[in-house]
Structure formats: structure tokens, C-alpha cells
Amino acid sequence: MQNKEQQEQKAPRIKPIIEAADSLSLGISIVVAVLMGVGIGLLIKNITETPWTLWIGVFIGVAAAILNVYKAYAKQYKDYEELAKEPRYAIKKQLQDDEDDDDDNKKNY
């Protein structure tokens, strides 16, 4: 019983560290994806003995890097949307209400 309680107490402490490391690793994953693509391109080039096949690997690496950035963006946007729903961060709604009030004060000719 105490073991389970200790694990529950440890989990919240570790989760922010893992999320921070995931965000920091984005730059590293971009470099690794491009380098792996170049490696694949060199491998294909050596197997086929045609020089232009190197560029296939480069494009694969760049596409993988772009996909990593998109995944990180989608994750952050999802977190932002969840945060925006909380009542204490309702500034967006207040700003929209203020804009609506300004429209009412304008004269329409």
C-alpha cells in the first residue's frame, strides 16, 4: 500500500522533467533526422553507384525533421487549447467582449 502511494507521489515530479526533456530534444531530433537521411542517401549511393541517389536520403531526412517539428507544434497547440479553456486564463474571452463593445459605439452611416 505504501509502495503504491510512493509511486503516485513520484510520478508528478518526474512528468515535468520528461516533458521539458522532450521539448529540449526537438533541436537534437532535427539534426539527427537530417544526418540519418544523409546516411541513408550515402548507403543508397554506394549500393547503386549513382550520385543523385544521395539526394533521396537528404530529402527523407529533411522530411523527417519537418514531421518532428509539426508533431511538436501540434502537441504544444493542444496543450495551449486545454490551458485556454481554464477559467483563470479567460483573457481571450474578455478581449473578445471588449471588441464587441467597441463595435456597438461606432456610428453606422
Side-chain angles (χ1 to χ4, degrees):
M1 189 74 165
Q2 290 177 350
N3 229 0
K4 191 174 187 179
E5 290 175 6
Q6 289 175 350
Q7 288 177 351
E8 289 176 6
Q9 289 177 353
K10 289 182 183 179
R13 293 181 189 167
I14 295 173
K15 186 177 179 182
I17 295 170
I18 293 172
E19 289 176 355
D22 186 39
S23 297
L24 286 175
S25 68
L26 179 62
I28 295 169
S29 71
I30 291 171
V31 173
V32 168
V34 172
L35 289 177
M36 286 180 67
V38 169
I40 291 170
L42 286 172
L43 182 68
I44 294 172
K45 179 183 169 189
N46 289 336
I47 291 172
T48 62
E49 296 180 3
T50 52
W52 60 269
T53 55
L54 169 68
W55 293 104
I56 293 173
V58 172
F59 289 131
I60 289 171
V62 170
I66 291 171
L67 183 63
N68 287 341
V69 171
Y70 176 74
K71 285 180 181 179
Y73 169 77
K75 182 180 177 185
Q76 290 297 321
Y77 189 76
K78 181 182 171 189
D79 291 343
Y80 166 74
E81 287 295 321
E82 289 176 8
L83 190 65
K85 291 177 185 176
E86 292 186 20
R88 62 181 171 176
Y89 299 114
I91 189 73
K92 186 175 179 181
K93 181 161 176 52
Q94 291 173 358
L95 291 175
Q96 288 175 347
D97 290 343
D98 289 344
E99 289 175 2
D100 292 340
D101 292 340
D102 293 342
D103 291 341
D104 295 337
N105 295 333
K106 292 182 182 177
K107 293 182 181 178
N108 294 326
Y109 294 104

mmCIF file of all heavy atoms in Angstrom, residues 44-90:
data_model
loop_
_atom_site.group_PDB
_atom_site.id
_atom_site.type_symbol
_atom_site.label_atom_id
_atom_site.label_comp_id
_atom_site.label_asym_id
_atom_site.label_seq_id
_atom_site.Cartn_x
_atom_site.Cartn_y
_atom_site.Cartn_z
ATOM 1 N N ILE A 44 22.507 4.291 -50.072
ATOM 2 C CA ILE A 44 21.879 4.024 -51.377
ATOM 3 C C ILE A 44 22.854 4.355 -52.507
ATOM 4 O O ILE A 44 22.950 3.636 -53.496
ATOM 5 C CB ILE A 44 20.565 4.819 -51.517
ATOM 6 C CG1 ILE A 44 19.526 4.322 -50.513
ATOM 7 C CG2 ILE A 44 20.015 4.721 -52.936
ATOM 8 C CD1 ILE A 44 18.274 5.185 -50.452
ATOM 9 N N LYS A 45 23.598 5.465 -52.330
ATOM 10 C CA LYS A 45 24.573 5.862 -53.350
ATOM 11 C C LYS A 45 25.656 4.798 -53.527
ATOM 12 O O LYS A 45 26.029 4.473 -54.656
ATOM 13 C CB LYS A 45 25.205 7.201 -52.966
ATOM 14 C CG LYS A 45 26.243 7.691 -53.921
ATOM 15 C CD LYS A 45 26.868 8.979 -53.418
ATOM 16 C CE LYS A 45 28.083 9.315 -54.246
ATOM 17 N NZ LYS A 45 28.837 10.417 -53.670
ATOM 18 N N ASN A 46 26.126 4.249 -52.423
ATOM 19 C CA ASN A 46 27.167 3.220 -52.513
ATOM 20 C C ASN A 46 26.633 1.913 -53.097
ATOM 21 O O ASN A 46 27.359 1.203 -53.797
ATOM 22 C CB ASN A 46 27.786 2.961 -51.133
ATOM 23 C CG ASN A 46 28.640 4.120 -50.676
ATOM 24 O OD1 ASN A 46 29.141 4.888 -51.481
ATOM 25 N ND2 ASN A 46 28.790 4.253 -49.371
ATOM 26 N N ILE A 47 25.382 1.590 -52.815
ATOM 27 C CA ILE A 47 24.806 0.353 -53.343
ATOM 28 C C ILE A 47 24.524 0.488 -54.843
ATOM 29 O O ILE A 47 24.853 -0.405 -55.629
ATOM 30 C CB ILE A 47 23.521 -0.016 -52.578
ATOM 31 C CG1 ILE A 47 23.873 -0.436 -51.150
ATOM 32 C CG2 ILE A 47 22.760 -1.127 -53.276
ATOM 33 C CD1 ILE A 47 22.675 -0.643 -50.253
ATOM 34 N N THR A 48 23.922 1.590 -55.232
ATOM 35 C CA THR A 48 23.513 1.754 -56.633
ATOM 36 C C THR A 48 24.597 2.378 -57.513
ATOM 37 O O THR A 48 24.501 2.327 -58.731
ATOM 38 C CB THR A 48 22.251 2.624 -56.730
ATOM 39 O OG1 THR A 48 22.533 3.922 -56.209
ATOM 40 C CG2 THR A 48 21.097 2.001 -56.004
ATOM 41 N N GLU A 49 25.580 3.013 -56.896
ATOM 42 C CA GLU A 49 26.676 3.688 -57.603
ATOM 43 C C GLU A 49 26.177 4.792 -58.538
ATOM 44 O O GLU A 49 26.750 5.053 -59.588
ATOM 45 C CB GLU A 49 27.536 2.681 -58.359
ATOM 46 C CG GLU A 49 28.237 1.704 -57.437
ATOM 47 C CD GLU A 49 29.094 0.701 -58.181
ATOM 48 O OE1 GLU A 49 29.205 0.790 -59.416
ATOM 49 O OE2 GLU A 49 29.647 -0.181 -57.509
ATOM 50 N N THR A 50 25.070 5.443 -58.143
ATOM 51 C CA THR A 50 24.599 6.619 -58.874
ATOM 52 C C THR A 50 24.595 7.798 -57.905
ATOM 53 O O THR A 50 24.038 7.715 -56.806
ATOM 54 C CB THR A 50 23.179 6.408 -59.436
ATOM 55 O OG1 THR A 50 22.334 5.979 -58.393
ATOM 56 C CG2 THR A 50 23.176 5.394 -60.551
ATOM 57 N N PRO A 51 25.257 8.902 -58.278
ATOM 58 C CA PRO A 51 25.468 10.000 -57.329
ATOM 59 C C PRO A 51 24.181 10.740 -56.909
ATOM 60 O O PRO A 51 24.108 11.247 -55.801
ATOM 61 C CB PRO A 51 26.415 10.943 -58.060
ATOM 62 C CG PRO A 51 26.380 10.543 -59.481
ATOM 63 C CD PRO A 51 25.924 9.129 -59.549
ATOM 64 N N TRP A 52 23.193 10.774 -57.750
ATOM 65 C CA TRP A 52 21.998 11.559 -57.412
ATOM 66 C C TRP A 52 21.131 10.894 -56.343
ATOM 67 O O TRP A 52 20.258 11.547 -55.755
ATOM 68 C CB TRP A 52 21.156 11.835 -58.652
ATOM 69 C CG TRP A 52 20.661 10.593 -59.352
ATOM 70 C CD1 TRP A 52 21.280 9.910 -60.348
ATOM 71 C CD2 TRP A 52 19.452 9.896 -59.072
ATOM 72 N NE1 TRP A 52 20.542 8.827 -60.717
ATOM 73 C CE2 TRP A 52 19.394 8.792 -59.945
ATOM 74 C CE3 TRP A 52 18.406 10.074 -58.183
ATOM 75 C CZ2 TRP A 52 18.351 7.889 -59.946
ATOM 76 C CZ3 TRP A 52 17.358 9.179 -58.189
ATOM 77 C CH2 TRP A 52 17.340 8.096 -59.061
ATOM 78 N N THR A 53 21.360 9.619 -56.046
ATOM 79 C CA THR A 53 20.552 8.953 -55.020
ATOM 80 C C THR A 53 20.867 9.455 -53.611
ATOM 81 O O THR A 53 20.084 9.236 -52.687
ATOM 82 C CB THR A 53 20.739 7.425 -55.079
ATOM 83 O OG1 THR A 53 22.126 7.119 -54.981
ATOM 84 C CG2 THR A 53 20.169 6.872 -56.370
ATOM 85 N N LEU A 54 21.995 10.142 -53.443
ATOM 86 C CA LEU A 54 22.291 10.780 -52.161
ATOM 87 C C LEU A 54 21.186 11.762 -51.792
ATOM 88 O O LEU A 54 20.794 11.869 -50.634
ATOM 89 C CB LEU A 54 23.646 11.497 -52.224
ATOM 90 C CG LEU A 54 23.972 12.427 -51.061
ATOM 91 C CD1 LEU A 54 24.180 11.614 -49.797
ATOM 92 C CD2 LEU A 54 25.187 13.268 -51.368
ATOM 93 N N TRP A 55 20.674 12.466 -52.786
ATOM 94 C CA TRP A 55 19.639 13.480 -52.533
ATOM 95 C C TRP A 55 18.322 12.865 -52.074
ATOM 96 O O TRP A 55 17.544 13.519 -51.374
ATOM 97 C CB TRP A 55 19.437 14.349 -53.767
ATOM 98 C CG TRP A 55 20.663 15.167 -54.023
ATOM 99 C CD1 TRP A 55 21.613 14.952 -54.972
ATOM 100 C CD2 TRP A 55 21.097 16.289 -53.253
ATOM 101 N NE1 TRP A 55 22.613 15.875 -54.854
ATOM 102 C CE2 TRP A 55 22.318 16.718 -53.807
ATOM 103 C CE3 TRP A 55 20.586 16.963 -52.160
ATOM 104 C CZ2 TRP A 55 23.021 17.798 -53.305
ATOM 105 C CZ3 TRP A 55 21.294 18.047 -51.654
ATOM 106 C CH2 TRP A 55 22.489 18.454 -52.230
ATOM 107 N N ILE A 56 18.084 11.615 -52.426
ATOM 108 C CA ILE A 56 16.880 10.941 -51.916
ATOM 109 C C ILE A 56 16.957 10.851 -50.389
ATOM 110 O O ILE A 56 15.994 11.157 -49.689
ATOM 111 C CB ILE A 56 16.730 9.543 -52.555
ATOM 112 C CG1 ILE A 56 16.441 9.660 -54.045
ATOM 113 C CG2 ILE A 56 15.637 8.749 -51.843
ATOM 114 C CD1 ILE A 56 16.440 8.338 -54.774
ATOM 115 N N GLY A 57 18.110 10.460 -49.882
ATOM 116 C CA GLY A 57 18.296 10.379 -48.437
ATOM 117 C C GLY A 57 18.213 11.737 -47.771
ATOM 118 O O GLY A 57 17.650 11.872 -46.680
ATOM 119 N N VAL A 58 18.778 12.751 -48.411
ATOM 120 C CA VAL A 58 18.704 14.109 -47.850
ATOM 121 C C VAL A 58 17.254 14.545 -47.743
ATOM 122 O O VAL A 58 16.827 15.091 -46.711
ATOM 123 C CB VAL A 58 19.528 15.097 -48.703
ATOM 124 C CG1 VAL A 58 19.297 16.525 -48.248
ATOM 125 C CG2 VAL A 58 21.013 14.756 -48.632
ATOM 126 N N PHE A 59 16.471 14.313 -48.778
ATOM 127 C CA PHE A 59 15.057 14.703 -48.746
ATOM 128 C C PHE A 59 14.287 13.905 -47.698
ATOM 129 O O PHE A 59 13.404 14.445 -47.033
ATOM 130 C CB PHE A 59 14.420 14.543 -50.128
ATOM 131 C CG PHE A 59 14.904 15.560 -51.115
ATOM 132 C CD1 PHE A 59 15.345 15.149 -52.371
ATOM 133 C CD2 PHE A 59 14.940 16.898 -50.816
ATOM 134 C CE1 PHE A 59 15.798 16.075 -53.290
ATOM 135 C CE2 PHE A 59 15.398 17.843 -51.732
ATOM 136 C CZ PHE A 59 15.832 17.426 -52.973
ATOM 137 N N ILE A 60 14.623 12.643 -47.527
ATOM 138 C CA ILE A 60 13.985 11.832 -46.486
ATOM 139 C C ILE A 60 14.308 12.415 -45.103
ATOM 140 O O ILE A 60 13.426 12.541 -44.239
ATOM 141 C CB ILE A 60 14.429 10.358 -46.577
ATOM 142 C CG1 ILE A 60 13.828 9.702 -47.806
ATOM 143 C CG2 ILE A 60 14.044 9.593 -45.324
ATOM 144 C CD1 ILE A 60 14.376 8.316 -48.094
ATOM 145 N N GLY A 61 15.548 12.788 -44.883
ATOM 146 C CA GLY A 61 15.956 13.372 -43.605
ATOM 147 C C GLY A 61 15.279 14.697 -43.323
ATOM 148 O O GLY A 61 14.804 14.956 -42.212
ATOM 149 N N VAL A 62 15.207 15.559 -44.330
ATOM 150 C CA VAL A 62 14.546 16.852 -44.157
ATOM 151 C C VAL A 62 13.054 16.657 -43.904
ATOM 152 O O VAL A 62 12.463 17.339 -43.058
ATOM 153 C CB VAL A 62 14.804 17.760 -45.387
ATOM 154 C CG1 VAL A 62 13.941 19.002 -45.340
ATOM 155 C CG2 VAL A 62 16.278 18.132 -45.454
ATOM 156 N N ALA A 63 12.440 15.716 -44.618
ATOM 157 C CA ALA A 63 11.015 15.444 -44.396
ATOM 158 C C ALA A 63 10.772 14.923 -42.977
ATOM 159 O O ALA A 63 9.796 15.321 -42.329
ATOM 160 C CB ALA A 63 10.511 14.433 -45.425
ATOM 161 N N ALA A 64 11.661 14.082 -42.490
ATOM 162 C CA ALA A 64 11.520 13.578 -41.122
ATOM 163 C C ALA A 64 11.679 14.714 -40.106
ATOM 164 O O ALA A 64 10.953 14.772 -39.101
ATOM 165 C CB ALA A 64 12.540 12.478 -40.856
ATOM 166 N N ALA A 65 12.597 15.634 -40.354
ATOM 167 C CA ALA A 65 12.790 16.771 -39.457
ATOM 168 C C ALA A 65 11.552 17.663 -39.442
ATOM 169 O O ALA A 65 11.114 18.118 -38.374
ATOM 170 C CB ALA A 65 14.025 17.567 -39.886
ATOM 171 N N ILE A 66 10.979 17.902 -40.609
ATOM 172 C CA ILE A 66 9.759 18.720 -40.681
ATOM 173 C C ILE A 66 8.615 18.022 -39.954
ATOM 174 O O ILE A 66 7.830 18.668 -39.251
ATOM 175 C CB ILE A 66 9.410 19.023 -42.154
ATOM 176 C CG1 ILE A 66 10.453 19.972 -42.747
ATOM 177 C CG2 ILE A 66 8.011 19.608 -42.271
ATOM 178 C CD1 ILE A 66 10.337 20.164 -44.232
ATOM 179 N N LEU A 67 8.526 16.721 -40.099
ATOM 180 C CA LEU A 67 7.490 15.964 -39.393
ATOM 181 C C LEU A 67 7.664 16.061 -37.870
ATOM 182 O O LEU A 67 6.683 16.214 -37.139
ATOM 183 C CB LEU A 67 7.516 14.504 -39.833
ATOM 184 C CG LEU A 67 6.440 13.597 -39.244
ATOM 185 C CD1 LEU A 67 5.057 14.065 -39.677
ATOM 186 C CD2 LEU A 67 6.667 12.167 -39.665
ATOM 187 N N ASN A 68 8.902 16.024 -37.401
ATOM 188 C CA ASN A 68 9.160 16.177 -35.965
ATOM 189 C C ASN A 68 8.718 17.547 -35.465
ATOM 190 O O ASN A 68 8.135 17.667 -34.393
ATOM 191 C CB ASN A 68 10.644 15.978 -35.661
ATOM 192 C CG ASN A 68 11.081 14.547 -35.771
ATOM 193 O OD1 ASN A 68 10.259 13.634 -35.727
ATOM 194 N ND2 ASN A 68 12.377 14.336 -35.922
ATOM 195 N N VAL A 69 9.004 18.585 -36.243
ATOM 196 C CA VAL A 69 8.590 19.937 -35.854
ATOM 197 C C VAL A 69 7.069 20.032 -35.837
ATOM 198 O O VAL A 69 6.483 20.611 -34.915
ATOM 199 C CB VAL A 69 9.202 20.990 -36.803
ATOM 200 C CG1 VAL A 69 8.607 22.366 -36.558
ATOM 201 C CG2 VAL A 69 10.709 21.031 -36.635
ATOM 202 N N TYR A 70 6.419 19.462 -36.831
ATOM 203 C CA TYR A 70 4.953 19.505 -36.880
ATOM 204 C C TYR A 70 4.335 18.780 -35.683
ATOM 205 O O TYR A 70 3.380 19.264 -35.080
ATOM 206 C CB TYR A 70 4.440 18.893 -38.185
ATOM 207 C CG TYR A 70 2.934 18.829 -38.231
ATOM 208 C CD1 TYR A 70 2.188 19.977 -38.433
ATOM 209 C CD2 TYR A 70 2.270 17.632 -38.024
ATOM 210 C CE1 TYR A 70 0.801 19.931 -38.444
ATOM 211 C CE2 TYR A 70 0.893 17.571 -38.025
ATOM 212 C CZ TYR A 70 0.161 18.725 -38.247
ATOM 213 O OH TYR A 70 -1.213 18.676 -38.241
ATOM 214 N N LYS A 71 4.881 17.626 -35.335
ATOM 215 C CA LYS A 71 4.359 16.881 -34.188
ATOM 216 C C LYS A 71 4.526 17.683 -32.895
ATOM 217 O O LYS A 71 3.631 17.704 -32.050
ATOM 218 C CB LYS A 71 5.065 15.530 -34.055
ATOM 219 C CG LYS A 71 4.630 14.511 -35.073
ATOM 220 C CD LYS A 71 5.376 13.210 -34.868
ATOM 221 C CE LYS A 71 4.989 12.164 -35.872
ATOM 222 N NZ LYS A 71 5.748 10.910 -35.675
ATOM 223 N N ALA A 72 5.676 18.331 -32.734
ATOM 224 C CA ALA A 72 5.900 19.136 -31.531
ATOM 225 C C ALA A 72 4.940 20.327 -31.505
ATOM 226 O O ALA A 72 4.390 20.674 -30.453
ATOM 227 C CB ALA A 72 7.348 19.619 -31.486
ATOM 228 N N TYR A 73 4.716 20.948 -32.660
ATOM 229 C CA TYR A 73 3.780 22.068 -32.745
ATOM 230 C C TYR A 73 2.365 21.621 -32.398
ATOM 231 O O TYR A 73 1.673 22.296 -31.631
ATOM 232 C CB TYR A 73 3.800 22.678 -34.144
ATOM 233 C CG TYR A 73 2.675 23.657 -34.380
ATOM 234 C CD1 TYR A 73 2.733 24.931 -33.850
ATOM 235 C CD2 TYR A 73 1.550 23.289 -35.104
ATOM 236 C CE1 TYR A 73 1.696 25.833 -34.043
ATOM 237 C CE2 TYR A 73 0.512 24.171 -35.298
ATOM 238 C CZ TYR A 73 0.597 25.445 -34.771
ATOM 239 O OH TYR A 73 -0.439 26.320 -34.960
ATOM 240 N N ALA A 74 1.946 20.491 -32.937
ATOM 241 C CA ALA A 74 0.591 20.001 -32.671
ATOM 242 C C ALA A 74 0.411 19.692 -31.185
ATOM 243 O O ALA A 74 -0.645 19.991 -30.610
ATOM 244 C CB ALA A 74 0.305 18.755 -33.513
ATOM 245 N N LYS A 75 1.425 19.140 -30.574
ATOM 246 C CA LYS A 75 1.346 18.831 -29.143
ATOM 247 C C LYS A 75 1.244 20.114 -28.319
ATOM 248 O O LYS A 75 0.432 20.209 -27.395
ATOM 249 C CB LYS A 75 2.574 18.027 -28.723
ATOM 250 C CG LYS A 75 2.565 17.630 -27.278
ATOM 251 C CD LYS A 75 3.796 16.830 -26.924
ATOM 252 C CE LYS A 75 3.802 16.506 -25.443
ATOM 253 N NZ LYS A 75 5.036 15.837 -25.045
ATOM 254 N N GLN A 76 2.065 21.098 -28.646
ATOM 255 C CA GLN A 76 2.027 22.358 -27.909
ATOM 256 C C GLN A 76 0.711 23.094 -28.126
ATOM 257 O O GLN A 76 0.176 23.701 -27.208
ATOM 258 C CB GLN A 76 3.200 23.257 -28.315
ATOM 259 C CG GLN A 76 4.529 22.755 -27.845
ATOM 260 C CD GLN A 76 4.628 22.701 -26.342
ATOM 261 O OE1 GLN A 76 4.148 23.576 -25.642
ATOM 262 N NE2 GLN A 76 5.239 21.644 -25.836
ATOM 263 N N TYR A 77 0.182 23.042 -29.332
ATOM 264 C CA TYR A 77 -1.091 23.705 -29.615
ATOM 265 C C TYR A 77 -2.227 23.046 -28.838
ATOM 266 O O TYR A 77 -3.117 23.737 -28.332
ATOM 267 C CB TYR A 77 -1.380 23.672 -31.116
ATOM 268 C CG TYR A 77 -2.572 24.527 -31.493
ATOM 269 C CD1 TYR A 77 -2.440 25.908 -31.552
ATOM 270 C CD2 TYR A 77 -3.805 23.968 -31.771
ATOM 271 C CE1 TYR A 77 -3.513 26.702 -31.878
ATOM 272 C CE2 TYR A 77 -4.888 24.753 -32.090
ATOM 273 C CZ TYR A 77 -4.736 26.124 -32.156
ATOM 274 O OH TYR A 77 -5.810 26.907 -32.466
ATOM 275 N N LYS A 78 -2.189 21.731 -28.741
ATOM 276 C CA LYS A 78 -3.203 21.008 -27.966
ATOM 277 C C LYS A 78 -3.136 21.418 -26.496
ATOM 278 O O LYS A 78 -4.166 21.661 -25.866
ATOM 279 C CB LYS A 78 -2.986 19.506 -28.114
ATOM 280 C CG LYS A 78 -3.978 18.654 -27.370
ATOM 281 C CD LYS A 78 -3.660 17.184 -27.531
ATOM 282 C CE LYS A 78 -4.513 16.348 -26.602
ATOM 283 N NZ LYS A 78 -4.100 14.960 -26.583
ATOM 284 N N ASP A 79 -1.919 21.510 -25.956
ATOM 285 C CA ASP A 79 -1.751 21.945 -24.572
ATOM 286 C C ASP A 79 -2.249 23.381 -24.388
ATOM 287 O O ASP A 79 -2.863 23.709 -23.375
ATOM 288 C CB ASP A 79 -0.287 21.851 -24.147
ATOM 289 C CG ASP A 79 0.196 20.421 -24.033
ATOM 290 O OD1 ASP A 79 -0.658 19.501 -23.963
ATOM 291 O OD2 ASP A 79 1.426 20.222 -24.025
ATOM 292 N N TYR A 80 -1.998 24.236 -25.368
ATOM 293 C CA TYR A 80 -2.462 25.624 -25.306
ATOM 294 C C TYR A 80 -3.982 25.694 -25.295
ATOM 295 O O TYR A 80 -4.567 26.450 -24.530
ATOM 296 C CB TYR A 80 -1.911 26.412 -26.494
ATOM 297 C CG TYR A 80 -2.588 27.740 -26.693
ATOM 298 C CD1 TYR A 80 -2.327 28.802 -25.846
ATOM 299 C CD2 TYR A 80 -3.505 27.927 -27.727
ATOM 300 C CE1 TYR A 80 -2.955 30.021 -26.017
ATOM 301 C CE2 TYR A 80 -4.139 29.128 -27.898
ATOM 302 C CZ TYR A 80 -3.859 30.175 -27.045
ATOM 303 O OH TYR A 80 -4.482 31.363 -27.214
ATOM 304 N N GLU A 81 -4.620 24.905 -26.137
ATOM 305 C CA GLU A 81 -6.082 24.903 -26.190
ATOM 306 C C GLU A 81 -6.676 24.439 -24.864
ATOM 307 O O GLU A 81 -7.673 24.990 -24.406
ATOM 308 C CB GLU A 81 -6.578 24.005 -27.328
ATOM 309 C CG GLU A 81 -6.355 24.588 -28.705
ATOM 310 C CD GLU A 81 -7.156 25.845 -28.942
ATOM 311 O OE1 GLU A 81 -8.314 25.901 -28.506
ATOM 312 O OE2 GLU A 81 -6.606 26.772 -29.556
ATOM 313 N N GLU A 82 -6.079 23.429 -24.245
ATOM 314 C CA GLU A 82 -6.564 22.957 -22.956
ATOM 315 C C GLU A 82 -6.368 24.021 -21.883
ATOM 316 O O GLU A 82 -7.223 24.221 -21.028
ATOM 317 C CB GLU A 82 -5.844 21.668 -22.557
ATOM 318 C CG GLU A 82 -6.244 20.469 -23.383
ATOM 319 C CD GLU A 82 -5.459 19.225 -23.030
ATOM 320 O OE1 GLU A 82 -4.707 19.247 -22.032
ATOM 321 O OE2 GLU A 82 -5.591 18.235 -23.763
ATOM 322 N N LEU A 83 -5.264 24.740 -21.954
ATOM 323 C CA LEU A 83 -4.990 25.789 -20.986
ATOM 324 C C LEU A 83 -5.937 26.969 -21.172
ATOM 325 O O LEU A 83 -6.368 27.590 -20.207
ATOM 326 C CB LEU A 83 -3.535 26.248 -21.125
ATOM 327 C CG LEU A 83 -2.993 27.168 -20.061
ATOM 328 C CD1 LEU A 83 -2.957 26.432 -18.727
ATOM 329 C CD2 LEU A 83 -1.601 27.638 -20.427
ATOM 330 N N ALA A 84 -6.277 27.275 -22.403
ATOM 331 C CA ALA A 84 -7.170 28.399 -22.689
ATOM 332 C C ALA A 84 -8.583 28.149 -22.180
ATOM 333 O O ALA A 84 -9.334 29.092 -21.946
ATOM 334 C CB ALA A 84 -7.191 28.679 -24.189
ATOM 335 N N LYS A 85 -8.957 26.893 -21.993
ATOM 336 C CA LYS A 85 -10.296 26.557 -21.504
ATOM 337 C C LYS A 85 -10.450 26.809 -20.007
ATOM 338 O O LYS A 85 -11.565 26.891 -19.515
ATOM 339 C CB LYS A 85 -10.625 25.096 -21.816
ATOM 340 C CG LYS A 85 -10.810 24.829 -23.286
ATOM 341 C CD LYS A 85 -11.062 23.361 -23.539
ATOM 342 C CE LYS A 85 -11.136 23.079 -25.027
ATOM 343 N NZ LYS A 85 -11.285 21.640 -25.293
ATOM 344 N N GLU A 86 -9.338 26.914 -19.292
ATOM 345 C CA GLU A 86 -9.416 27.121 -17.854
ATOM 346 C C GLU A 86 -9.924 28.528 -17.551
ATOM 347 O O GLU A 86 -9.535 29.494 -18.208
ATOM 348 C CB GLU A 86 -8.046 26.904 -17.215
ATOM 349 C CG GLU A 86 -7.600 25.460 -17.266
ATOM 350 C CD GLU A 86 -6.311 25.234 -16.504
ATOM 351 O OE1 GLU A 86 -5.960 26.068 -15.642
ATOM 352 O OE2 GLU A 86 -5.658 24.215 -16.779
ATOM 353 N N PRO A 87 -10.792 28.667 -16.559
ATOM 354 C CA PRO A 87 -11.403 29.971 -16.262
ATOM 355 C C PRO A 87 -10.403 31.052 -15.846
ATOM 356 O O PRO A 87 -10.611 32.222 -16.158
ATOM 357 C CB PRO A 87 -12.353 29.669 -15.106
ATOM 358 C CG PRO A 87 -12.459 28.210 -15.005
ATOM 359 C CD PRO A 87 -11.321 27.606 -15.731
ATOM 360 N N ARG A 88 -9.337 30.671 -15.204
ATOM 361 C CA ARG A 88 -8.401 31.705 -14.757
ATOM 362 C C ARG A 88 -7.610 32.320 -15.906
ATOM 363 O O ARG A 88 -6.965 33.342 -15.731
ATOM 364 C CB ARG A 88 -7.466 31.148 -13.694
ATOM 365 C CG ARG A 88 -6.602 30.018 -14.169
ATOM 366 C CD ARG A 88 -5.743 29.521 -13.056
ATOM 367 N NE ARG A 88 -5.079 28.297 -13.472
ATOM 368 C CZ ARG A 88 -4.209 27.661 -12.761
ATOM 369 N NH1 ARG A 88 -3.878 28.133 -11.587
ATOM 370 N NH2 ARG A 88 -3.660 26.557 -13.194
ATOM 371 N N TYR A 89 -7.639 31.684 -17.064
ATOM 372 C CA TYR A 89 -6.962 32.227 -18.238
ATOM 373 C C TYR A 89 -7.982 32.686 -19.272
ATOM 374 O O TYR A 89 -7.801 32.502 -20.468
ATOM 375 C CB TYR A 89 -6.035 31.178 -18.862
ATOM 376 C CG TYR A 89 -4.961 30.720 -17.921
ATOM 377 C CD1 TYR A 89 -4.940 29.417 -17.455
ATOM 378 C CD2 TYR A 89 -3.983 31.591 -17.484
ATOM 379 C CE1 TYR A 89 -3.956 28.997 -16.583
ATOM 380 C CE2 TYR A 89 -3.005 31.175 -16.606
ATOM 381 C CZ TYR A 89 -2.992 29.882 -16.163
ATOM 382 O OH TYR A 89 -2.025 29.467 -15.296
ATOM 383 N N ALA A 90 -9.032 33.310 -18.835
ATOM 384 C CA ALA A 90 -10.125 33.709 -19.707
ATOM 385 C C ALA A 90 -9.895 35.082 -20.331
ATOM 386 O O ALA A 90 -10.836 35.760 -20.689
ATOM 387 C CB ALA A 90 -11.446 33.686 -18.942
#
